Amino acid sequence: MLHIEFLTDLGARVTVDVGSADKLLEVQRQYGRLGWTSGSVPTGGYQFPLDNEADFDWSLIGARRWTNPDGEEMILHRGHAYRRRELEAVDNRKMKLPPAVKFSRGAKATDPEHIREKADGDFEYVTLAIFRGGKRQDRYALSTASTKRSEADRAA
Amino acid sequence: MLHIEFLTDLGARVTVDVGSADKLLEVQRQYGRLGWTSGSVPTGGYQFPLDNEADFDWSLIGARRWTNPDGEEMILHRGHAYRRRELEAVDNRKMKLPPAVKFSRGAKATDPEHIREKADGDFEYVTLAIFRGGKRQDRYALSTASTKRSEADRAA
Amino acid sequence: MLHIEFLTDLGARVTVDVGSADKLLEVQRQYGRLGWTSGSVPTGGYQFPLDNEADFDWSLIGARRWTNPDGEEMILHRGHAYRRRELEAVDNRKMKLPPAVKFSRGAKATDPEHIREKADGDFEYVTLAIFRGGKRQDRYALSTASTKRSEADRAA
Amino acid sequence: MLHIEFLTDLGARVTVDVGSADKLLEVQRQYGRLGWTSGSVPTGGYQFPLDNEADFDWSLIGARRWTNPDGEEMILHRGHAYRRRELEAVDNRKMKLPPAVKFSRGAKATDPEHIREKADGDFEYVTLAIFRGGKRQDRYALSTASTKRSEADRAA
Amino acid sequence: MLHIEFLTDLGARVTVDVGSADKLLEVQRQYGRLGWTSGSVPTGGYQFPLDNEADFDWSLIGARRWTNPDGEEMILHRGHAYRRRELEAVDNRKMKLPPAVKFSRGAKATDPEHIREKADGDFEYVTLAIFRGGKRQDRYALSTASTKRSEADRAA
């Protein structure tokens, strides 16, 4: 038996029992759809493979797609809206980085120091997730296949 | 089975077992009426839809309505009294915000830095909850049904 | 079923299962008598009604009465000794406070910043509990009555 | 049923179920012998009665006696070696303290601020435990009986 | 019964039940292979005996060997890559240290202060593990037996 700790959409600390390790992602999706999150965003943001970006299942981390009043697609996570940004590959003497997609927002006065990252000038931002390099992991996808598979599991 | 962690009115850390996810809000109401809280107030305060303000069930977050010695209606949460303030809509070049109702108090010497928000001059305040925009959620309401049930409980 | 988290007198983190919510204070008393505490002292100290001070059951918060070598009555809590102080009512333009009884000690070099309160001059102190206003709660009392009641509960 | 939280010798967070409260110290000894600790060292160090120093069972706090390459007897706790120091009684206008035995080490660059104590000059140290005053508690002793019992366990 | 707390590769907080203490390392290996970690890296890094370095089973701490694009062998732990460095023995008036192997990386802007160590100039680094002195512990080794068993598991 496993037990996963969530912070509910109402901010309550709730643990959910899970029958076995292979049911874990399914439980994360189920409660993530309600806006529940487990653990905190890693410093610098979640890191996922770039090839997972197009069909990433945001419910895995308690987030969801959201269209803002200006018609812009954003990601909503614990009450904050994050904007999608494409980062070009970096290849100079100091570092070499493949292209990436980053979801970030401007820092707010109440954000703790350790999650703020410096940008140009005085601007500071907070990153939710960065998709860069790596090898696609199907288990992160919002796929019909995974939905069907989990239905088959339930029927079995 | 779920397990919800509370800080009791006496400050003790107590976990309560909950049979299923759909019983969770009921358990939060039951212990919230005793002043028990789960998790901490999110930075910047809890965010709820404006249409939930009139009949919000404060027991959901371990708070309750309280009339102070001057006859003013306030919200009591973990020993602090919060005052109701109406915020007008903001619509200028920098930002656009719908009207809101905010429950806040002046900061105290022992409040940690990250929950203090700056106001005019040297004044700092702490927000418990802000009701703004969004879509009303009936599950947050102080429903007659649940009120009747709890009265029946007490009478029994 | 409930589960209460303690810090034992030896500083170990131990959770104790409790059959039902109405047995909780009894369990807190039982382990509190051994010096076990649950949760941390709220910033500014525990707040209790003034009318609970005379017969307060200090075991509820893992503390106990102690007479120091000078014959003075003090309260011992997690290795620190707190002195009883009576505070007169305050009634001026800035604030209005009823009389209170406070249990506090001088701050030590290893005390974290957020629990220190400023007094006159450079003196800093730490508060364990303040008894002020409110309505007496019998369940906090070290009374024969409450002992009898809980015995009756067990017999039922 | 009780549950005690440990940090294993490998730094993992592991909870162990304990049948009843009177088995707790036995379980702390059993896992403490492996270097597992529960909770953190209290600020200023653990406080024990002076009369417990000679035969103190260091496994109770996950520590053990260790002879360093120079032949000096030290106490090893979570990878740090602490040296034994005898403190004379203090009796002056400012304070009055009985004699004590203290186990401490020099502070390291990675030690957090709140556990460092100032000594003469720029020297800072960290205290594991201080044995002073109080009344001997037999349950803290490295008793022959308990040693024999654990040997019997291993033989079984 | 024991219960071990992990941070999964996705950053979720999950506890896993373990039948008995002797199964614990096996469970740490099993989930560590997925990148799950338990507890945080001790300040200054994990300390292991030097004789364990050659065949250390990095899955015990949720890490794994990784060859970077330049063909260099590194250790990957929670998204950070650590480089292997050999430290010569130190033997001077101030200190005496046996030779060691250290796995460390340059500090990043988002690393908290307490895990950064100063090196020459302004350079700061973070240590994952240091292998120095001590006596080899076979239980830390990447044993052929355990490897074979896990291959059999996968084949089944």
Side-chain angles (χ1 to χ4, degrees), chain D residues 20 23 26 59 62 69 101 123 132 138:
Chain D
S20 58
K23 293 278 184 299
E26 200 178 310
S59 72
V101 174
F123 188 74
R132 176 152 53 196
D138 285 335

Side-chain angles (χ1 to χ4, degrees), chain B residues 3 5 7-17 31 36 79 110, chain C residues 1-5 21 24-25 28 38-39 43 46 48 117 139-140:
Chain B
H3 317 268
E5 291 176 41
L7 199 66
T8 73
D9 55 318
L10 258 177
R13 298 176 66 85
V14 173
T15 298
V16 176
D17 295 343
Y31 289 94
W36 294 25
T110 46
Chain C
M1 176 102 96
L2 289 81
H3 316 269
I4 175 168
E5 291 175 41
L24 187 65
L25 284 191
Q28 284 186 259
S38 182
T43 46
Y46 290 99
F48 299 112
E117 293 169 72
R139 63 191 180 121
Y140 294 162

Side-chain angles (χ1 to χ4, degrees), chain E residues 101-117:
Chain E
V101 174
K102 193 172 188 165
F103 290 83
S104 57
R105 61 172 174 86
K108 297 178 186 175
T110 46
D111 285 322
E113 195 61 38
H114 73 275
I115 68 166
R116 295 153 174 269
E117 293 168 72

Side-chain angles (χ1 to χ4, degrees), chain A residues 6-146:
Chain A
F6 285 110
L7 199 67
T8 74
D9 55 318
L10 259 177
R13 298 176 66 84
V14 173
T15 298
V16 175
D17 295 343
V18 180
S20 59
D22 58 298
K23 294 279 184 298
L24 187 64
L25 284 191
E26 199 179 311
V27 170
Q28 284 187 258
R29 281 180 159 97
Q30 175 188 347
Y31 290 96
R33 274 193 291 268
L34 307 174
W36 295 24
T37 54
S38 182
S40 47
V41 178
T43 45
Y46 290 99
Q47 294 180 39
F48 298 112
L50 180 59
D51 289 346
N52 273 105
E53 199 253 325
D55 62 350
F56 184 72
D57 186 351
W58 288 98
S59 72
L60 282 167
I61 59 166
R64 63 180 174 90
R65 292 174 191 275
W66 174 70
T67 307
N68 79 4
D70 298 339
E72 194 180 1
E73 282 258 328
M74 302 189 83
I75 296 297
L76 215 60
H77 181 263
R78 298 225 71 95
H80 296 292
Y82 295 83
R83 181 170 280 117
R84 186 181 184 278
R85 286 166 232 267
E86 299 190 357
L87 306 184
E88 289 177 39
V90 177
D91 190 353
N92 57 30
R93 254 190 244 173
K94 267 182 75 187
M95 56 180 173
K96 192 170 179 161
L97 286 170
V101 175
K102 193 172 187 165
F103 290 83
S104 57
R105 62 173 173 84
K108 298 179 186 175
T110 47
D111 285 323
E113 194 61 38
H114 73 274
I115 67 165
R116 294 152 174 268
E117 294 168 71
K118 305 279 180 219
D120 299 334
D122 284 344
F123 189 74
E124 287 184 322
Y125 63 96
V126 174
T127 302
L128 172 65
I130 187 158
F131 294 81
R132 176 153 53 197
K135 208 188 112 192
R136 176 181 168 86
Q137 300 209 34
D138 284 336
R139 63 192 181 120
Y140 294 163
L142 183 70
S143 75
T144 335
S146 82

